[in-house]
């Protein structure tokens, strides 16, 4: 009996050690199997949430055949600039953020409150068909990777953010240029979904944010921005649309230095001819022509950077009046020169009249014809005698008339008249130009106040 017992002991020990090493040596761990069931990998979770086996179809909007999807939008402006008057558009760089709820993407298996997805995995996700209605050009940013963000929350909310550079049209009213206030609009509209399927709305808090260090070279962006709706009605239906209006006030620093001050100095320079002697014709004519040509060039340069609009702008009125004053200064010297030379014409006319009065008498003497001519009494006229007696000489002019028509007195009289024109012009030209500036400034300031009140 004893040998049988001893032979069974090694088999029992070997079975015991085999069972011990099998579970403790890492071949099979029941606890690890349970952990793998509980915590799946993110890839498996996404496949289960949005993959082909999940039943999710990105071609169908959330709440299909149900209430419309409400998409909340907000933007963050990184830069705002390149406002061009000739093409009437502006350029800006922004973050566009959209948020909506998709019940099909709600989850509870994953422990995190939100899940950020890589841009390469966005294809199976539904997104609103938003576009910018007044867009003229747009660029996406892909350095160093696509500047896009897709975040899914546990309740099915989806946050979609993208960085864009846009060129948007901005119809401008340049009647008060360069003291104008422009209003530029950005419109966000749905392309294919009507309001029965999709509705855009602004975020309730801070829908439009602007970078703190944002500066514009020629404009000041006002903090107050108008938010509203711009629902579009087409033949294909009614489409949702939201808009924001930016109010831009132009700064006059550049135009004051480049246009107003130079043109003002040219006008003042034309007045210098009023103090130059009227006999210095080359100096006064050269100064007048130079100022007229310079003012013409200045006016052409001011219009080069502006569109060809049909109405009159404030800068056009300024340049036209400056050119008018410069040209009037040149014509003033023409008037002065004409008046100062009138005494010569007057004296020449008086001499001509006196010569005509003297030549009224007719003299006839017969040379060798006296034997052919007889007097009334029958006697023969002497040869060389006067046939017709000359008229009596005119009486001498009075002393007063002689003094009036004296050459020196006449010259002094007309020169004094010409000098009086220069003296009057020295006061009339600056005073009238000052009155024009006051009226123009008051008109433009009143117009800008009215625009501010309307805004």
């Amino acid at each position: 009996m004893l040998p049988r017992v001893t032979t069974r002991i090694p088999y029992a020990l070997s079975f015991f050690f085999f069972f011990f090493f099998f579970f403790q040596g890492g071949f099979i761990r029941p606890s690890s199997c349970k952990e793998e069931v509980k915590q799946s990998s993110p890839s498996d979770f996404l496949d289960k949430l949005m993959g082909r086996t999940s039943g999710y179809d990105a071609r169908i909007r959330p709440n299909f055949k149900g209430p419309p999807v409400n998409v909340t939008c907000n933007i963050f402006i990184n830069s705002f600039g390149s406002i061009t008057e000739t093409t009437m558009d502006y350029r800006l760089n922004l973050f566009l953020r959209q948020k909506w709820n998709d019940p099909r993407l709600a989850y509870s298996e994953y422990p995190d409150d939100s899940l950020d997805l890589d841009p390469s995995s966005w294809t199976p996700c539904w997104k609103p068909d938003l576009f910018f209605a007044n867009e003229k050009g747009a660029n996406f940013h892909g350095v160093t990777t696509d500047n896009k963000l897709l975040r899914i929350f546990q309740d099915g909310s989806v946050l979609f953010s993208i960085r864009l550079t846009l060129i948007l049209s901005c119809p401008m009213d340049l009647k008060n240029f360069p003291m104008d206030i422009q209003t530029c609009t950005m419109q966000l509209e749905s392309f294919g979904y009507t309001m029965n399927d999709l509705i855009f709305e602004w975020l309730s808090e801070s829908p439009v944010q602007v970078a703190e260090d944002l500066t514009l070279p020629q404009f000041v962006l006002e903090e107050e921005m108008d938010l509203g709706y711009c629902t579009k009605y087409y033949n294909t239906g009614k489409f949702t649309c939201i808009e924001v209006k930016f109010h831009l006030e132009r700064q006059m620093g550049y135009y004051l230095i480049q246009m107003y001050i130079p043109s003002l100095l040219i006008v003042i320079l034309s007045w210098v001819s009023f103090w130059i002697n009227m006999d210095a014709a080359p100096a006064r004519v050269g100064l007048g022509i130079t100022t007229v040509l310079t003012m013409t060039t200045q006016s052409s340069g001011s219009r080069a950077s502006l569109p060809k609009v049909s109405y009159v702008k404030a800068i056009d009125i300024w340049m036209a009046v400056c050119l008018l004053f410069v040209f009037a200064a040149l014509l003033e010297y023409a008037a002065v020169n004409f008046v100062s030379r009138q005494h010569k014409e007057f004296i020449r006319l008086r001499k001509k009249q006196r010569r005509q009065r003297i030549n009224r008498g007719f003299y006839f003497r017969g040379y060798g014809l006296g034997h052919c001519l007889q007097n009334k009494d029958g006697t023969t006229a002497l040869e060389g005698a006067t046939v017709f007696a000359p008229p009596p000489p005119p009486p001498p002019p009075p002393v007063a008339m002689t003094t009036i028509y004296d050459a020196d007195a006449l010259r002094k009289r007309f020169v004094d008249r010409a000098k009086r024109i220069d003296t009057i012009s020295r006061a009339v030209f600056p005073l009238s130009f000052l009155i024009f500036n006051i009226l123009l400034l008051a008109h433009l300031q009143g117009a800008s106040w009215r625009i501010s009140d309307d805004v």
Side-chain angles (χ1 to χ4, degrees), residues 217-233:
Q218 295 186 21
F219 291 88
V220 174
L221 179 61
E222 297 183 1
E223 295 182 358
E224 296 182 2
M225 303 175 189
D226 296 338
L227 303 175
Y229 295 90
C230 52
T231 304
K232 301 296 182 65
Y233 297 88

Side-chain angles (χ1 to χ4, degrees), residues 307-363:
K308 298 177 182 179
V309 294
S310 59
Y311 50 84
V312 179
K313 302 179 289 294
I315 190 68
D316 295 336
I317 297 175
W318 169 263
M319 290 296 177
V321 172
C322 289
L323 182 60
L324 179 63
F325 270 88
V326 170
F327 188 72
L330 180 60
L331 293 182
E332 188 270 347
Y333 176 67
V336 169
N337 189 283
F338 176 78
V339 173
S340 64
R341 294 176 182 270
Q342 277 297 98
H343 70 282
K344 296 181 180 180
E345 295 292 331
F346 193 81
I347 293 174
R348 187 181 63 82
L349 181 62
R350 295 302 301 173
K351 288 182 179 179
K352 182 178 180 181
Q353 291 177 354
R354 188 177 299 176
R355 191 180 303 111
Q356 291 177 354
R357 189 166 54 250
I358 292 174
N359 292 336
R360 286 177 184 175
F362 179 73
Y363 300 93

Side-chain angles (χ1 to χ4, degrees), residues 50 100 115-119 121-122 125-127 148-152 158-161:
M50 305 170 59
W100 67 94
L115 181 64
D116 296 339
L117 302 183
D118 186 82
S121 62
W122 290 4
C125 181
W126 179 89
K127 295 181 290 294
K148 300 177 182 178
L149 169 67
L150 184 65
R151 181 175 297 168
I152 301 175
V158 182
L159 174 63
F160 175 47
S161 178

Side-chain angles (χ1 to χ4, degrees), residues 46-224:
L46 290 177
D47 292 338
K48 182 180 178 182
L49 185 65
M50 305 170 59
R52 296 180 179 179
T53 59
S54 63
Y56 182 86
D57 192 350
R59 298 172 298 178
I60 301 175
R61 70 169 180 88
N63 304 327
F64 183 67
K65 292 186 178 180
V69 181
N70 293 323
V71 180
T72 304
C73 303
N74 73 305
I75 59 176
F76 182 88
I77 301 176
N78 293 315
S79 62
F80 197 119
S82 300
I83 302 173
T84 309
E85 289 81 10
T86 54
T87 56
M88 289 196 178
D89 54 29
Y90 66 101
R91 184 186 185 94
L92 52 82
N93 181 279
L94 55 84
F95 294 144
L96 172 63
R97 297 162 182 164
Q98 308 173 64
K99 191 174 183 180
W100 67 94
N101 185 267
D102 192 345
R104 298 172 297 176
L105 298 179
Y107 64 90
S108 59
E109 297 85 358
Y110 204 72
D112 295 340
D113 296 336
S114 62
L115 181 64
D116 296 339
L117 302 183
D118 186 82
S120 61
S121 62
W122 290 4
T123 304
C125 181
W126 179 89
K127 295 181 290 294
D129 59 343
L130 181 145
F131 78 102
F132 296 89
N134 58 334
E135 173 254 332
K136 299 174 67 175
N139 293 322
F140 295 99
H141 294 268
V143 180
T144 58
T145 59
D146 293 339
N147 298 165
K148 300 177 182 178
L149 169 67
L150 184 65
R151 181 175 297 168
I152 301 175
F153 297 89
Q154 286 186 345
D155 59 350
S157 299
V158 182
L159 174 63
F160 175 47
S161 178
I162 186 171
R163 184 187 175 202
L164 299 171
T165 296
L166 303 173
I167 300 177
L168 304 177
S169 64
C170 178
M172 300 181 186
D173 185 4
L174 301 174
K175 293 181 181 178
N176 297 327
F177 179 88
M179 298 179 63
D180 54 337
I181 298 177
Q182 301 297 335
T183 300
C184 295
T185 306
M186 176 194 297
Q187 295 183 347
L188 290 71
E189 183 181 346
S190 174
F191 184 80
Y193 290 103
T194 62
M195 294 191 68
N196 296 327
D197 299 323
L198 184 64
I199 294 178
F200 288 146
E201 57 185 12
W202 288 110
L203 187 65
S204 58
E205 296 182 2
S206 302
V208 179
Q209 298 174 322
V210 181
E212 295 181 357
D213 56 347
L214 179 64
T215 56
L216 283 75
Q218 295 186 21
F219 291 88
V220 174
L221 179 61
E222 297 183 1
E223 295 182 358
E224 296 182 2

Side-chain angles (χ1 to χ4, degrees), residues 275-449:
W275 279 267
I276 299 177
N277 189 359
M278 67 180 67
D279 296 330
R284 295 190 67 166
V285 172
L287 180 62
I289 294 177
T290 301
T291 53
V292 169
L293 294 178
T294 306
M295 198 65 232
T296 304
T297 305
Q298 187 78 8
S299 178
S300 301
S302 66
R303 294 192 299 268
S305 59
L306 296 175
K308 298 177 182 179
V309 294
S310 59
Y311 50 84
V312 179
K313 302 179 289 294
I315 190 68
D316 295 336
I317 297 175
W318 169 263
M319 290 296 177
V321 172
C322 289
L323 182 60
L324 179 63
F325 270 88
V326 170
F327 188 72
L330 180 60
L331 293 182
E332 188 270 347
Y333 176 67
V336 169
N337 189 283
F338 176 78
V339 173
S340 64
R341 294 176 182 270
Q342 277 297 98
H343 70 282
K344 296 181 180 180
E345 295 292 331
F346 193 81
I347 293 174
R348 187 181 63 82
L349 181 62
R350 295 302 301 173
K351 288 182 179 179
K352 182 178 180 181
Q353 291 177 354
R354 188 177 299 176
R355 191 180 303 111
Q356 291 177 354
R357 189 166 54 250
I358 292 174
N359 292 336
R360 286 177 184 175
F362 179 73
Y363 300 93
F364 182 85
R365 294 178 180 274
Y367 295 95
L369 299 177
H371 62 280
C372 299
L373 299 175
Q374 293 181 355
N375 295 330
K376 292 181 179 182
D377 54 0
T379 61
T380 302
L382 299 177
E383 185 177 351
T386 302
V387 178
F388 298 102
V399 179
M401 295 295 295
T402 304
T403 305
I404 292 176
Y405 295 116
D406 183 68
D408 294 337
L410 283 175
R411 182 178 183 282
K412 185 176 183 301
R413 179 181 178 183
F414 284 98
V415 168
D416 290 342
R417 289 181 180 178
K419 290 182 178 179
R420 192 177 301 113
I421 295 176
D422 272 343
T423 304
I424 295 173
S425 298
R426 294 171 188 174
V428 171
F429 274 72
L431 183 61
S432 57
F433 191 70
L434 179 62
I435 293 174
F436 162 72
N437 278 271
I438 294 175
L439 294 178
L440 180 63
L441 184 62
H443 172 72
L444 294 178
Q445 193 68 31
S448 62
W449 285 344

